[in-house]
Amino acid sequence: MADIRQAIMFDIPAIQVCDLLCFPEENRWDYHLYEEYIYFWPRLVYVAEDHGTGGIVGFVIAQMKGEGTESHGYIASLGVVPTHRKLRIAKKLMDAAQDALVKEYGSEYVSLHVRRSNQAAINLYTEKLGYNYEIATNFYENQEDAYVMQKQL
Ligand SMILES: CC(C)(COP(=O)(O)OP(=O)(O)OC[C@H]1O[C@@H](n2cnc3c(N)ncnc32)[C@H](O)[C@@H]1OP(=O)(O)O)[C@@H](O)C(=O)NCCC(=O)NCCS
C-alpha cells in the first residue's frame, strides 16, 4: 500500500526514476521542468510513498492553465511504477490533485491528454473518474490520436 503526500524538491530524482519506468518511450523531461512545477504549483504535485520501503512508487503533476474565465486545471503527467499497479494508487493521486485544484485554485474543470492506445489510463479517467472526451487526430509526434479528456470539478 502507499500514502499520498505533496511532493517536495528533494523528491525530484525519485520522480524522475518513476517517470522513466512509466514512460520508457517518451522524451525525458528536464530536471528543471519538475522544479518549475513544484515551485509554481506546490500543492498540485503529489507522490505515492510505499508503506514498507518509503520509496516513491507514483506521482501526479498538475497545473493551472489559461487566464480569467479560461483558467482551469490540467493534468500534465501521471504514473505508477509497474510493480505497484492495480492498487488504486493512480485513483488516489488523481483525487488528491483534483481536490487541490478546487480548494487551492477554485478550478471549475480539469483537462488532460492521453494516447488513444493507452487503454488502462482511458479506463481510469472515464470509468473511475468520470471524464468525458473528444478525439484530437494526429496529436502526438508519431501521429497517434489523443483523447482530450475533461471533467467538471
Ligand atoms: C495508467 C496508470 C497510471 C494506472 O495506475 P494504477 O495505479 O494501476 O491505476 P488504479 O489501480 O488506480 O486503477 C484504477 C482504474 O483504472 C483502470 N485501469 C488501471 N489499470 C488498468 C489496466 N491495466 N487495464 C485496464 N484498466 C485499467 C481500471 O478501471 C481501474 O479500476 P479497477 O481497479 O476497479 O479495475 C498506470 O498503468 C501507469 O502508470 N501507466 C503508464 C503511464 C501512463 O500511462 N500514465 C497516464 C498517461 S495519461
Side-chain angles (χ1 to χ4, degrees):
M1 275 294 142
D3 289 319
I4 308 300
R5 66 164 172 81
Q6 225 172 280
I8 55 174
M9 293 295 182
F10 184 73
D11 295 320
I12 293 175
I15 296 174
Q16 283 182 299
V17 173
C18 277
D19 203 346
L20 182 61
L21 293 170
C22 291
F23 297 99
E25 316 275 310
E26 303 284 348
N27 295 331
R28 305 269 58 85
W29 283 21
D30 188 84
Y31 183 92
H32 298 297
L33 190 52
Y34 299 96
E35 265 185 338
E36 278 180 29
Y37 274 103
I38 295 175
Y39 181 80
F40 286 112
W41 294 285
R43 296 179 192 279
L44 296 181
V45 184
Y46 290 86
V47 290
E49 218 172 42
D50 181 89
H51 277 175
T53 64
I56 288 176
V57 294
F59 65 95
V60 63
I61 299 175
Q63 68 180 110
M64 288 298 291
K65 272 192 166 182
E67 300 289 327
T69 54
E70 297 294 308
S71 171
H72 68 281
Y74 182 75
I75 306 296
S77 193
L78 166 75
V80 174
V81 295
T83 50
H84 286 67
R85 288 188 184 156
K86 297 289 283 174
L87 297 171
R88 305 272 158 87
I89 293 175
K91 166 83 168 58
K92 286 186 198 155
L93 286 163
M94 287 293 293
D95 286 344
Q98 292 175 171
D99 282 355
L101 283 168
V102 175
K103 289 185 187 137
E104 305 290 337
Y105 295 93
S107 177
E108 291 182 5
Y109 72 98
V110 56
S111 68
L112 60 87
H113 290 85
V114 57
R115 288 181 183 275
R116 197 171 182 165
S117 59
N118 192 344
Q119 198 57 52
I122 290 167
N123 287 357
L124 166 70
Y125 299 133
T126 58
E127 292 173 11
K128 297 293 159 181
L129 293 168
Y131 281 70
N132 298 310
Y133 62 85
E134 54 188 45
I135 292 171
T137 47
N138 302 332
F139 179 83
Y140 291 101
E141 269 178 27
N142 68 349
Q143 310 308 314
E144 183 173 350
D145 296 344
Y147 277 21
V148 187
M149 301 247 168
Q150 190 167 310
K151 171 184 164 163
Q152 290 301 124
L153 293 172

